[in-house]
Amino acid sequence: MPDFWEFPTVSMGLGPISALYHARFNRYLQNRHIDDTSGSRVWAFLGDGETDEPETLGAISLASREQLDNLVFVVNCNLQRLDGPVRGNGKVIQELEATFRGAGWNVIKVIWGSKWDDLLAQDKDGVLLNQMNTTVDGEFQRYAIEDGGYIRDNFFGPDERLRKMVADLSDDELRSLPRGGHDYRKLYAAYKAATENLGSGRPTVILCKTVKGWTLGPGFEGRNSTHQIKKMTKDQILAMRDRLHLEDVVPDSLDADHPPYIKLAKDSVEFQYMMERRKALDGSIPKRTTVARRPLDLPGDGPFAEMRSGSNGQEVSTTMAFTRLLRGLARDEHIGPRVVPIIPDEARTFGMDALFRELNIYASQGQKYEPVDHDLLLSYSESTKGQILEEGITEAGSMASFIAAGTAYSTRGVPMVPFYTFYSMFGFQRVGDLIWQAADMRTRGFLMAATAGRTTLLGEGLQHQDGHSLVLASTVPFVQAYDPAFAYEVGAIVQAGMVRMYGGGPPEQTDVFYYITLYNENYEMPPMPDTPGLAEAIVEGLYKYADAPTGPTIPATLLFSGTAHTAAREAVAELAEHYDVATELWSATSYKALREEALAAERWNRLHPSQEPRVPRVAQILADSQGPIIAVSDFMKIVPEQVQRFVPDRTFVPLGTDGMGRSDTREALRRHFEVDTGHVVLAVLDGLLADGKVDESAVEDAIARYDIDPESIDPYLA
Ligand SMILES: Cc1ncc(C[n+]2csc(CCOP(=O)(O)OP(=O)(O)O)c2C)c(N)n1
Ligand SMILES: [Mg+2]
């Protein structure tokens, strides 16, 4: 429902953290003079159980630090979650009050309904207050379902002074002493106070005490099973009707299997009021729009031309190349100000600290100190107009910023272009749920997966070396996942992404975002070959990088991605020299894109049995190649396997980095995972053996030549 859902949040905790960073992003837009957000407020509605999610409370101090008085959290404290009480033996409201107050928030508690006011006024010596404070939530839940007699005996009963206080109240009156969250006047006052908080510099949280299933009647209210009850009997519906004073509009004779919608008379005050409100809100249902109030022009070609020209003999990494691209885009006269670089405390790791001085780090309070490196050219420069969101060590917060920026095209009609660069291991694996939410929210932008690869990031240990984020990326529909080897591939992908997401396509599906691996291995970046259609082929996922060497006679096809191209290129030379094998080289930039196209073709064929079947693009492309297909990357074997069944008539050998790994040098890691030059040669020969083009002796020769130990431990187990 792209015309309806603006902020879909179902996975608990993501709503709160998204709201928080969204409020901050509104200030960023304001401070950078990109859009006037001064009249905008962000409201987040939370469950009390939801506050147990680390995402819910983990970032709240940012809101006070950033003085986000444009942010209101409303926590529905019904004291229950799914299975039972949130804090049966404690008091969730007091706990949350302490947490939020400690974090510098403006806390408004709406605990008791107006009918308690009289009693509290009589409470001169604080016995009632004490009783309220010492009654745990599990007990309060019980009071919500018991009759007045039980409340009189157990809540007011033990203390003579308390018992006297309610002597004049009937059991029924006792039972209906309301919680603050069901007292409309109290609630109104709380919301009003929250909105009047603007200017104080403090975010507000409203903690309201309620009863779960309120007004649904005795079978529902306050039961541990409340959340699970999905169907009401006729008696229960009638009880609810009575509670809501709807006797006039809901007859006794209702059909409980098909309960009617309530129809209010047009001249009733309720109807009049509701229509008035609809009018004030501009319609009866929320509407998501994508009209650009401040449209965005696409960037010029300059920054991309630089990517195409290669590194002229210099050894650089794709990360360094991308940093230049980002710099070029941030300077672009068309989109420059709309570029939002997001980094979680890794700018130096990625060589992006050069951007600190040039683009400045966003700091709502400016820079109140002279940085320790002030005399350096690349000093740590903060400013209210800063462009970089340096988020600190929070991938979740950075993702929330990515979502806020990447949905601004819709939420504000102001397309922004986020480039969130992070350790690839801490993306899909760490904050995959937020990435899924980003897709659900139709976020646009670029996720840049730096220090990618299980063997390229050397020596940092098993929790850093990423060989599977591309597998996880394959699970998210709108993600355009790429594993480029060269700067010109990165440039072509980003340029096409700009056109697709911000220029209205093609393809028509424009609400997508990109996931692009970046490596930290230095090698010479070749200039982009002049082949017609190459940029499109890079985006489609596969192109021929080099013809087979002339001379050798046995054909084979080798696919590489990312840094695996070095082993692949060396293997081609070895195979020609020692084994008479003529290997052609292909760069596989996106197995995900190839697979998705193939699946679409397969589906179309199934649904159109009597028409000329479509041939998946990957099969068409590889029809031009010869011999067995060997695919190598710095990711798990399942990544290239995504296309294997679409080239069914070919021997297909995937090489990859399956296994936890170890902390070691690149060389040792590539040997360990069996993706180094020797192992690539071995795999090609193995493929040729399967095709009957060489015999066992060639494979055995390679095992000996490259000093491969056939009895070494399987890297998957090591
Ligand atoms: C991350 C996540 N885990 C589990 C769930 C399943 N779930 C849906 S509602 C719910 C309980 C919510 O309790 P609370 O936050 O107190 O809200 P209430 O329904 O009581 O207002 C749970 C666990 C979920 N939606 N998201
Ligand atoms: Mg709850």
Side-chain angles (χ1 to χ4, degrees):
M1 296 169 73
D3 300 328
F4 180 76
W5 292 113
E6 262 193 298
F7 303 100
T9 64
V10 170
S11 179
M12 312 212 95
L14 302 193
I17 193 168
S18 301
L20 209 152
Y21 279 85
H22 191 86
R24 205 272 300 253
F25 193 72
N26 280 350
R27 289 283 161 82
Y28 171 91
L29 291 174
Q30 178 85 30
N31 281 328
R32 294 194 54 222
H33 304 302
I34 290 172
D35 196 21
D36 179 6
T37 60
S38 56
S40 171
R41 221 177 249 113
V42 177
W43 291 78
F45 295 84
L46 289 58
D48 49 357
E50 184 173 14
T51 62
D52 281 340
E53 290 286 1
E55 287 87 349
T56 305
L57 297 180
I60 57 169
S61 60
L62 178 92
S64 40
R65 205 157 61 238
E66 294 281 310
Q67 305 188 353
L68 301 180
D69 52 16
N70 57 343
L71 175 67
V72 185
F73 274 16
V74 180
V75 189
N76 179 12
C77 298
N78 55 23
L79 314 186
Q80 290 180 242
R81 40 179 166 71
L82 271 188
D83 287 345
V86 178
R87 294 286 182 275
N89 294 314
K91 295 174 79 66
V92 71
I93 294 177
Q94 303 304 95
E95 188 182 317
L96 289 174
E97 179 186 19
T99 304
F100 279 99
R101 227 183 261 292
W105 284 52
N106 171 37
V107 181
I108 302 175
K109 294 194 289 181
V110 191
I111 302 185
W112 306 110
S114 311
K115 287 184 187 167
W116 288 88
D117 290 351
D118 272 354
L119 301 177
L120 284 162
Q122 296 170 41
D123 185 32
K124 299 281 187 272
D125 39 12
V127 258
L128 177 58
L129 200 64
N130 185 51
Q131 179 69 350
M132 286 170 160
N133 282 341
T134 52
T135 303
V136 293
D137 285 356
E139 256 182 283
F140 271 122
Q141 185 190 346
R142 177 102 189 256
Y143 291 133
I145 65 151
E146 293 289 353
D147 60 23
Y150 182 89
I151 297 168
R152 190 186 304 279
D153 291 344
N154 292 278
F155 186 77
F156 296 100
D159 191 297
E160 197 46 44
R161 290 165 296 181
L162 278 180
R163 194 176 266 276
K164 238 164 100 192
M165 225 182 251
V166 294
D168 293 341
L169 297 180
S170 69
D171 279 2
D172 229 27
E173 283 171 320
L174 272 186
R175 206 190 58 79
S176 60
L177 280 172
R179 306 282 189 261
H182 298 303
D183 183 319
Y184 311 119
R185 282 192 179 78
K186 296 257 176 189
L187 214 50
Y188 179 86
Y191 278 40
K192 187 158 184 292
T195 57
E196 286 167 356
N197 188 47
L198 209 59
S200 73
R202 291 164 78 203
T204 295
V205 60
I206 298 174
L207 305 170
C208 18
K209 186 166 185 162
T210 60
V211 173
K212 191 151 176 159
W214 179 244
T215 73
L216 290 180
F220 285 72
E221 280 179 350
R223 302 286 166 182
N224 280 337
S225 54
T226 298
H227 208 108
Q228 244 58 26
I229 310 175
K230 309 293 179 201
K231 219 168 147 37
M232 299 178 89
T233 63
K234 182 170 176 177
D235 285 347
Q236 285 169 329
I237 295 174
L238 289 177
M240 176 171 74
R241 176 198 67 174
D242 296 348
R243 278 285 288 284
L244 295 171
H245 309 292
L246 292 170
E247 294 89 340
D248 291 348
V249 281
V250 181
D252 283 341
S253 60
L254 66 87
D255 173 1
D257 288 331
H258 304 94
Y261 284 105
I262 291 167
K263 283 217 177 86
L264 298 164
K266 288 208 165 137
D267 56 359
S268 64
V269 282
E270 292 86 352
F271 185 86
Q272 299 288 333
Y273 172 78
M274 281 168 63
M275 293 317 283
E276 236 172 63
R277 298 317 303 157
R278 297 309 100 194
K279 230 188 211 157
L281 289 166
D282 251 357
S284 1
I285 52 168
K287 192 163 162 41
R288 178 183 186 269
T289 63
T290 55
V291 181
R293 276 193 306 112
R294 293 170 187 269
L296 179 72
D297 290 331
L298 289 175
D301 188 54
F304 302 107
E306 200 181 333
M307 295 297 106
R308 291 196 294 269
S309 65
S311 60
N312 298 312
Q314 249 189 308
E315 300 215 323
V316 298
S317 64
T318 47
T319 310
M320 286 156 80
F322 164 68
T323 301
R324 288 193 71 84
L325 178 62
L326 181 61
R327 188 157 171 249
L329 291 171
R331 283 172 163 181
D332 180 86
E333 56 173 332
H334 301 290
I335 67 152
R338 303 291 183 89
V339 170
V340 186
I342 305 170
I343 311 168
D345 199 35
E346 295 288 0
R348 289 178 203 282
T349 316
F350 308 145
M352 287 184 174
D353 45 336
L355 301 178
F356 287 165
R357 183 73 168 260
E358 190 169 341
L359 304 180
N360 283 3
I361 295 162
Y362 173 72
S364 57
Q365 319 297 309
Q367 190 159 34
K368 300 175 179 170
Y369 61 98
E370 191 172 60
V372 64
D373 54 3
H374 65 98
D375 50 350
L376 298 183
L377 200 60
L378 305 177
S379 68
Y380 197 85
S381 308
E382 301 188 88
S383 151
T384 48
K385 292 197 179 55
Q387 188 160 2
I388 299 170
L389 288 174
E390 159 62 79
E391 300 291 14
I393 311 168
T394 167
E395 282 76 14
S398 303
M399 262 315 291
S401 278
F402 177 75
I403 292 171
T407 55
Y409 76 91
S410 160
T411 58
R412 298 218 58 84
V414 181
M416 299 294 287
V417 189
F419 283 92
Y420 168 33
T421 312
F422 50 96
Y423 256 90
S424 75
M425 191 67 155
F426 307 134
F428 278 91
Q429 169 151 302
R430 175 115 195 178
V431 290
D433 205 8
L434 278 153
I435 294 178
W436 184 264
Q437 186 196 25
D440 193 13
M441 281 182 74
R442 311 180 82 87
T443 306
R444 299 175 187 170
F446 296 92
L447 294 176
M448 307 304 297
T451 56
R454 186 95 79 206
T455 70
T456 307
L457 179 65
L458 69 170
E460 292 231 22
L462 279 54
Q463 291 172 32
H464 276 68
Q465 297 165 182
D466 168 35
H468 54 278
S469 65
L470 285 167
V471 183
L472 302 175
S474 75
T475 63
V476 184
F478 300 127
V479 169
Q480 310 298 306
Y482 287 91
D483 193 10
F486 308 117
Y488 69 78
E489 294 180 355
V490 175
I493 295 159
V494 171
Q495 193 165 23
M498 287 281 181
V499 174
R500 182 168 183 181
M501 297 185 291
Y502 301 98
E508 272 165 28
Q509 174 63 44
T510 56
D511 296 346
V512 297
F513 54 96
Y514 285 70
Y515 180 72
I516 305 174
T517 59
L518 297 172
Y519 294 87
N520 66 352
E521 186 169 345
N522 294 340
Y523 44 85
E524 187 181 347
M525 294 294 154
M528 179 154 158
D530 223 357
T531 325
L534 181 54
E536 290 76 17
I538 291 169
V539 172
E540 286 173 0
L542 182 62
Y543 70 96
K544 191 193 269 188
Y545 177 75
D547 288 327
T550 47
T553 60
I554 311 169
T557 297
L558 186 50
L559 277 44
F560 66 78
S561 309
T563 49
H565 77 92
T566 308
R569 290 201 290 190
E570 285 173 8
V572 171
E574 294 285 309
L575 284 156
E577 187 181 339
H578 303 295
Y579 300 100
D580 189 31
V581 176
T583 316
E584 48 188 281
L585 262 184
W586 294 69
S587 177
T589 47
S590 180
Y591 287 108
K592 184 175 197 271
L594 294 170
R595 174 172 182 266
E596 287 170 358
E597 194 279 339
L599 288 174
E602 187 178 60
R603 173 177 180 271
W604 191 90
N605 293 343
R606 190 164 56 241
L607 297 172
H608 302 85
S610 53
Q611 296 189 43
E612 176 82 11
R614 289 184 187 169
V615 180
R617 186 187 292 135
V618 63
Q620 287 176 40
I621 299 172
L622 287 173
D624 288 342
S625 70
Q626 292 184 63
I629 298 167
I630 288 76
V632 61
S633 81
D634 208 7
F635 281 80
M636 290 173 69
K637 298 181 181 79
I638 198 170
V639 175
E641 271 172 11
Q642 289 181 90
V643 302
Q644 179 165 4
R645 74 184 178 84
F646 301 107
V647 280
D649 51 348
R650 300 283 287 277
T651 295
F652 193 105
V653 185
L655 290 181
T657 54
D658 298 50
M660 292 291 287
R662 49 187 58 177
S663 192
D664 212 326
T665 62
R666 268 182 201 140
E667 207 182 12
L669 285 170
R670 288 174 183 170
R671 169 51 50 125
H672 171 73
F673 280 110
E674 302 168 0
V675 292
D676 64 358
T677 307
H679 279 283
V680 176
V681 171
L682 179 62
V684 172
L685 293 172
D686 184 45
L688 288 167
L689 176 65
D691 285 357
K693 303 291 183 195
V694 299
D695 57 28
E696 290 85 352
S697 65
V699 181
E700 272 162 7
D701 182 85
I703 289 173
R705 181 184 305 277
Y706 301 106
D707 202 16
I708 291 167
D709 174 8
E711 307 315 323
S712 62
I713 188 161
D714 180 342
Y716 192 69
L717 308 172

